[in-house]
């Protein structure tokens, strides 16, 4: 190959490689550590996972929270856990909030509300429909999901922070083993030992426990919610699901309570994983795809 041919071939290679890199930069399969806000000099981050095939334009925010601790994990590991959503065309956001013990439950709720606003404001960037946003989580993550579903609000037109002008409402919730009434599990440091004493986030005054209990916040305009509880759960007994089921029935909120017998707080097992995943997908399909397509 002569020098001219070599230069032409090299130019073509660079052009193709640059185009490929550009396409990857705009829509990588995993976009880790996307910053959705700052506080106390720290970045609040989420990992973004693109669907495996064509996007269905719907988004699912996964609350990374257990005991209101929010820990970082390798994105590839998180992606494997959420792969069943990605295979169905959903774009998934793994949202980390300010973690216990440094930050409280009210602060965690504020963080995840901001995350919803951020995703909605950046809908075009993430190739999603801003009116097709669902949330899910397990245990404390389920609690935060229900808080988003029961307390979502429209944007604040007079807010100084431009992001607060964007709505924090979500269109569907899937909450796994969520505590729905914090009033029965909070503890005061001045009182005796509680079975929940190992969770610093639950050291809340009763007025805050009431304000941040999804059960207390149920109103007719809440997001359709699927609540799944373990029949043998000792940490968050299934009665938490029964309580919010009654409240949502009274308020006429579209919802479903599923109590899985013979399992505890670790709701998803090797034997029921496929069934659980199908139930979650069916709920999001109904309220993020079918209902949205009908203009509801």
């Amino acid at each position: 190959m002569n020098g001219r041919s070599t230069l032409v071939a090299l130019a073509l290679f660079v052009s193709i490689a640059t185009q490929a890199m550009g396409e990857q930069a705009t829509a990588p399969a995993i976009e880790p550590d996307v910053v959705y806000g700052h506080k106390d000099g720290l970045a609040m981050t989420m990992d973004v996972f693109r669907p495996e095939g064509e996007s269905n334009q719907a988004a699912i925010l996964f609350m990374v929270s257990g005991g209101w601790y929010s820990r970082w994990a390798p994105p590839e590991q998180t992606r494997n856990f959420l792969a069943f959503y990605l295979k169905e065309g959903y774009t998934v956001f793994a949202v980390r909030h300010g973690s216990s013990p440094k930050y409280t439950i009210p602060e965690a709720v504020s963080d995840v509300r901001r995350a919803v606003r951020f995703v909605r404001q950046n809908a075009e960037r993430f190739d999603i429909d801003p009116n097709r946003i669902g949330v899910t989580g397990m245990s404390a993550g389920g609690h935060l999901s229900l808080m988003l579903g029961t307390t979502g609000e429209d944007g604040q037109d007079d807010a100084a922070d431009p992001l607060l002008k964007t709505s924090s409402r979500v269109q569907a919730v899937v909450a796994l083993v969520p505590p729905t009434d914090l009033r029965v599990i909070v503890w005061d440091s001045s009182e005796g030992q509680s079975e929940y004493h190992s969770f610093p986030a639950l050291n809340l005054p009763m007025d805050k426990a009431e304000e941040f209990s999804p059960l207390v916040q149920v109103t007719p305009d809440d997001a359709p919610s699927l609540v799944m509880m373990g029949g043998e759960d000792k940490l968050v007994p299934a009665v938490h699901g029964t309580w919010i089921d009654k409240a949502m029935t009274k308020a006429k909120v579209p919802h479903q309570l599923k109590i899985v017998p013979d399992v505890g707080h670790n709701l998803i097992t090797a034997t029921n994983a496929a069934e659980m995943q199908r139930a979650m997908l069916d709920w999001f399909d109904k309220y993020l795809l079918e209902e949205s397509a009908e203009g509801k």
Side-chain angles (χ1 to χ4, degrees):
M1 182 180 291
N2 61 35
R4 179 177 176 80
S5 299
T6 301
L7 289 174
V8 170
L10 180 60
L12 180 60
F13 171 79
V14 171
S15 175
I16 294 173
T18 302
Q19 181 180 3
M21 291 174 64
E23 290 172 353
Q24 186 178 21
T26 57
I30 300 176
E31 191 176 352
D33 297 323
V34 173
V35 177
Y36 69 90
H38 296 86
K39 65 179 181 182
D40 297 340
L42 303 173
M44 296 184 289
T45 64
M46 60 175 69
D47 296 333
V48 184
F49 303 93
R50 305 279 179 170
E52 293 186 3
E54 184 178 353
S55 171
N56 64 17
Q57 301 295 297
I60 296 174
L61 276 65
F62 171 65
M63 303 292 105
V64 180
S65 190
W68 296 276
Y69 288 91
S70 192
R71 297 182 174 90
W72 181 90
E76 295 77 12
Q77 177 181 319
T78 306
R79 187 185 187 283
N80 290 339
F81 178 71
L82 300 168
F84 68 101
Y85 288 125
L86 305 175
K87 290 178 181 177
E88 298 296 325
Y90 287 96
T91 301
V92 184
F93 302 78
V95 177
R96 290 176 286 271
H97 60 78
S99 181
S100 178
K102 181 175 177 59
Y103 296 104
T104 65
I105 289 175
E107 289 171 304
V109 172
S110 177
D111 290 349
V112 297
R113 284 176 180 154
R114 183 176 186 86
V116 173
R117 291 185 169 104
F118 176 86
V119 169
R120 175 166 282 116
Q121 189 179 76
N122 290 276
E124 184 175 352
R125 167 185 171 184
F126 296 124
D127 189 28
I128 62 156
D129 183 334
N131 297 312
R132 298 185 184 187
I133 297 178
V135 290
T136 188
M138 188 168 189
S139 194
H143 163 264
L144 294 174
S145 298
L146 283 173
M147 283 301 298
L148 288 169
T150 57
T151 65
E153 61 180 17
D154 298 328
Q156 306 165 22
D157 292 337
D158 59 347
D161 183 345
L163 193 60
L164 296 182
K165 297 180 180 182
T166 303
S167 170
S168 66
R169 293 185 183 274
V170 298
Q171 283 66 58
V173 174
V174 172
L176 311 181
V177 292
T180 63
D181 189 350
L182 300 187
R183 295 172 297 183
V184 302
I185 58 176
V186 293
W187 54 273
D188 189 304
S189 58
S190 64
E191 296 179 355
Q193 189 78 6
S194 161
E195 61 181 312
Y196 298 100
H197 210 83
S198 58
F199 299 100
L202 290 174
N203 185 11
L204 277 181
M206 191 56 69
D207 63 330
K208 290 298 181 183
E210 180 173 355
E211 180 181 355
F212 290 91
S213 291
L215 177 66
V216 178
Q217 301 297 335
V218 173
T219 53
D221 65 343
D222 292 349
S225 299
L226 170 63
V227 177
M228 306 174 78
M229 310 295 299
E232 300 299 322
D233 193 342
K234 305 303 182 186
L235 184 64
V236 182
V239 69
H240 279 266
T242 303
W243 290 334
I244 203 162
D245 174 62
K246 291 180 179 178
M248 287 186 167
T249 297
K250 184 176 180 180
K252 298 182 179 180
V253 176
H255 72 285
Q256 180 182 349
L257 171 64
K258 182 178 179 63
I259 299 178
V260 185
D262 304 323
V263 298
H265 198 61
N266 295 324
L267 185 67
I268 301 177
T269 67
T271 57
N272 72 16
E275 178 186 355
M276 296 294 99
Q277 291 173 1
R278 187 68 261 165
M280 292 184 274
L281 280 168
D282 286 348
W283 193 261
F284 283 133
D285 286 351
K286 177 175 175 60
Y287 289 102
L288 298 184
L289 303 182
E290 298 171 18
E291 296 287 336
S292 294
E294 295 170 7
K296 295 184 179 181

